[in-house]
Amino acid sequence: MKKYTPPLKDRNGSELLQMNEMFRGRFKVRGLIGRGGYGQIYYASDPVFPDDVVIKIEPVIRRGSTSKRMLLEQKILYRLQGRPHVPIMCASGHTDQLNFIVMQLLGPNIGDLKKRSPVKRLSPSTVARIIIQGIAALRDVHSLGYLHRDVKPANMCFGITQNTRHVLKLVDYGLVRRFMNPDGTRRKLRNRPGFRGTLRYVSVRVHDRKDQSPADDFVSMAYSGVELLLVNLPWKLAHIEDLRNAKEEFQQPNSPFLQLTGPAYTIFCAAVFSLRSSDQPDYSALQALLFDMMGDKSMKDAYDWEENYRDAYSNGSSSENKDFADI
Ligand SMILES: Nc1ncnc2c1ncn2[C@@H]1O[C@H](COP(=O)(O)OP(=O)(O)OP(=O)(O)O)[C@@H](O)[C@H]1O
């Protein structure tokens, strides 16, 4: 298998690490992969870890106060190590100026893989397998008592090695929150907590400032699948109230937009949208609703991007009805 090198971003002078710098005397910085809202992600090599790695860093002081986001991500990633849908972390800590996490290099995120599709969508079989693995990833996180709270295609990547290229990994644990007490009981829900998540993907409950629960991670997962199947989500980032109402309309059982996702995905979405905050989702039953959508493909068969997006063209619907205007 050809070695994967991530596409690197142009330098713009605001980099926190320099090209060829030996970070912590061990990791050789090879380039910038991305600039997130909070920090930066670098491609690097490591003489100890067999595969290439990324270094995710954020300044210790951000906008005048100490940033705790990555400290939380370090703690959670550490606790989640060994779970199949979580990136392997090779090192973490802080310097005087930076908090950092070093983890295995993964492939492009699913949002970018969708953008590369000539028809800007993915086939039902690929989407079903992504969401089935995404649900397994949620089970990994929820079973530890945490919510992810930022589920979206940009936070899902496949591995890059022979063994991991068909294994979905959930990234970005900077917004996690405990929803379970150590004894397995639920924490008390708060009244009007602050907003956490990405506006496009959060549930109506999050718009309404209800405290989040596993059901809300599922709603974001379901919306992610809709976006992968239908080119766009049927709402635009306009007025927040309009966005909320468009989501509510989309979730009605007879919503024409929802039905464009196909019968199996419509049933899956209906099951997800009916979950209440207090519910304990049945992960396996929800995954099983998507098995038919996989067609004759197994989890280990090629995904769209490995087959020049052939199946994304011929997914049984014309591109026009997939490419509806934003509402
Ligand atoms: N281990 C990894 N290997 C390769 N790419 C990664 C890895 N982790 C993250 N990325 C890429 O970097 C992007 C940003 O990562 P992440 O969301 O963890 O950073 P962030 O600073 O929290 O970003 P944001 O503010 O956008 O949420 C992801 O969308 C993904 O494409």
Side-chain angles (χ1 to χ4, degrees), residues 36-39 41 54 56 69 103-106 109 154-155 172:
Y38 294 85
I41 300 207
V54 299
K56 181 172 171 175
R69 190 179 150 118
M103 57 186 145
Q104 72 179 131
L105 173 70
L106 302 170
N109 70 60
N155 282 341
D172 196 359

Side-chain angles (χ1 to χ4, degrees), residues 23-24 58 60 71 74 92-100:
F23 182 68
R24 308 290 286 165
E58 68 169 21
V60 171
L71 302 182
Q74 290 171 344
S92 71
H94 63 91
T95 65
D96 287 346
Q97 272 106 38
L98 301 171
N99 294 322
F100 69 87

Side-chain angles (χ1 to χ4, degrees), residues 4 6 33-41 53-54 56-57 69-70 73 87-88 103-110 112 150 152-157 171-174 198:
Y4 169 76
I33 293 184
R35 298 179 185 90
Y38 294 85
Q40 300 177 350
I41 300 207
V53 296
V54 299
K56 181 172 171 175
I57 51 171
R69 190 179 150 118
M70 191 174 281
E73 184 166 17
I88 299 171
M103 57 186 145
Q104 72 179 131
L105 173 70
L106 302 170
N109 70 60
I110 303 291
D112 285 341
D150 203 13
K152 56 183 175 182
N155 282 341
M156 294 184 242
C157 303
V171 302
D172 196 359
Y173 295 83
T198 301

